[in-house]
Amino acid sequence: MEIISTSDLPSYHVLIVAGGQGSRLGGELPKQYLKIGNNIVINQSIGMFSSCITLTCVIHPEHTSLYHDAVQPRMWLRPPVQGGRERRDSVRNGLNDLKNHLKADDILLIHDAARPFVSPADICAVIREAARTGAATLAQPVCDTLRHQDGHTIDRSNVWAIQTPQAFRFSLICKAHDRADPVTSYTDDSAMVAALGHPVSFVSGSQENFKITTAEDLRFARMLVSAAMETRTGSGYDVHAFRSDAATHIRLCGVDVPHDRGIDAHSDGDVGLHALTDALLSTVAAGDIGSHFPPSDPQWKNADSALFLRKAVHLVAAQQGRLVHLDVTIVCERPKVGPYREAMQARIAEICGLPPARVSIKATTSEKLGFTGREEGIVAQALATVEFPRS
Ligand code: MG
């Protein structure tokens, strides 16, 4: 992972423009509210600016509930501002809303919600440049040959494709909007600042910072997100002895299975859930079930092992892990697992928040060999497959 020094980074505020209503992508949802991977476009864009002082979104008046469903609460997030008819009206509403909060010299970044892949390094670079010059934008030199339909080739040597974020001293961007010609169609804020006669620095950006506009862009965005995930596999193993005295059932994979001998255990002795808990803990390198729930602790006496598994699921979720698949193998001569397989799948799926089709339960014997063959004990092995954001 790229390490960026932010120790001398000037403090900054962010305005995210998300007022667009239409979608050229053909769906019902505007593009800023579409899913990419586990995230929503606008929520991911907001997340790129986690080092800002405040962040304000300008949204379409009809998108208030979409916005609140899509965006997770963050300490630095201000309430959204209603957008206007054109992009420049939306930005202006945002600037007006910020006038009582920002000082003239503060740095404000203006960013399109539909660019969710801006890198931390590029954000830092554009802030530093704006702190020096008053106005800077991310931009990319154009590499493709540009040719007009009339046949003449356009000299691309000084041609840049303009991106966002664009960073400005607050007083400068407010002045640019105040003085902007009402009939001129400015495609972005840096054009308004340039129209004032104030130079705008170009900071070389990255191709990944593309704007999601077409269905092809959306496909590409989803490819990028899946490429940015890594898969981890954790394994778990557990053994419990059968007691010698008579019993009515054992707990196995969260289900009571009739059996004539009980399990020797401090908790409910569910080898399936214990192995699975260890497999999940393993994907976040969080120790083992014994370190979280010591058998010496009286509060876990006869405990439902679903509690242990829930805890492991929470630890995985805290690292933004997405459970992909769980697999349990039970080794014993008796009881027979087959009749309870579906109930076990359903119970584990319920505990972990997964579809049952992503939970596999298998059983085998050890051909009368060893302690499982002699019916002295029962074994479970588990594998957990979990996706995490690449770090
Ligand atoms: Mg155990």
Side-chain angles (χ1 to χ4, degrees), residues 115-389:
R115 293 185 191 268
F117 298 109
V118 61
S119 76
D122 285 353
I123 291 171
C124 291
V126 78
I127 292 168
R128 288 204 166 93
E129 185 60 17
R132 206 173 62 81
T133 65
T137 182
L138 286 181
Q140 263 230 299
V142 171
C143 298
D144 294 332
T145 293
L146 297 176
R147 186 162 299 134
H148 198 277
Q149 274 188 329
D150 69 10
H152 87 274
T153 300
I154 297 161
D155 176 12
R156 66 173 186 225
S157 54
N158 288 310
V159 176
W160 293 64
I162 303 297
Q163 302 180 335
T164 70
Q166 304 188 341
F168 309 99
R169 203 171 295 133
F170 186 58
S171 54
L172 178 62
I173 187 63
C174 289
K175 185 172 159 193
H177 272 262
D178 287 345
R179 304 259 179 98
D181 176 11
V183 293
T184 302
S185 161
Y186 303 93
T187 54
D188 67 316
D189 301 284
S190 72
M192 289 187 192
V193 171
L196 276 184
H198 192 291
V200 177
S201 313
F202 290 176
V203 174
S204 186
S206 140
Q207 225 166 349
E208 278 190 15
N209 184 27
F210 66 99
K211 186 175 183 177
I212 300 176
T213 309
T214 63
E216 194 180 0
D217 295 335
L218 184 64
R219 268 201 307 281
F220 188 57
R222 288 175 172 157
M223 265 169 54
L224 268 182
V225 168
S226 67
M229 300 296 277
E230 62 180 20
T231 304
R232 298 186 206 162
T233 308
S235 77
Y237 176 85
D238 195 38
V239 175
H240 279 274
F242 285 120
R243 286 203 312 262
S244 50
D245 51 333
T248 57
H249 66 272
I250 62 170
R251 183 70 64 82
L252 199 51
C253 294
V255 174
D256 285 334
V257 177
H259 195 49
D260 53 7
R261 292 169 64 197
I263 293 274
D264 192 16
H266 186 67
S267 66
D268 64 4
D270 188 332
V271 282
L273 295 197
H274 293 181
L276 206 44
T277 301
D278 266 352
L280 281 176
L281 290 175
S282 166
T283 65
V284 285
D288 55 35
I289 192 168
S291 55
H292 292 275
F293 308 100
S296 55
D297 188 335
Q299 70 168 309
W300 309 123
K301 184 155 175 58
N302 299 324
D304 180 349
S305 297
L307 274 176
F308 307 158
L309 186 54
R310 281 300 295 164
K311 165 85 176 187
V313 169
H314 285 155
L315 289 171
V316 167
Q319 295 198 24
Q320 298 180 61
R322 186 180 79 91
L323 272 56
V324 176
H325 192 257
L326 301 174
D327 181 33
V328 183
T329 304
I330 296 158
V331 186
C332 62
E333 299 294 329
R334 291 189 310 131
K336 289 288 165 232
V337 168
Y340 303 95
R341 189 194 311 268
E342 264 182 53
M344 291 172 176
Q345 275 181 296
R347 177 63 180 148
I348 290 172
E350 177 186 46
I351 297 167
C352 298
L354 264 182
R358 289 175 178 266
V359 179
S360 158
I361 308 287
K362 309 191 301 296
T364 187
T365 70
S366 56
E367 300 288 344
K368 307 255 192 251
L369 296 172
F371 69 88
T372 51
R374 294 189 296 271
E375 299 191 38
E376 293 165 4
I378 183 166
V379 169
Q381 284 186 336
L383 282 179
T385 307
V386 185
E387 275 187 348
F388 293 89

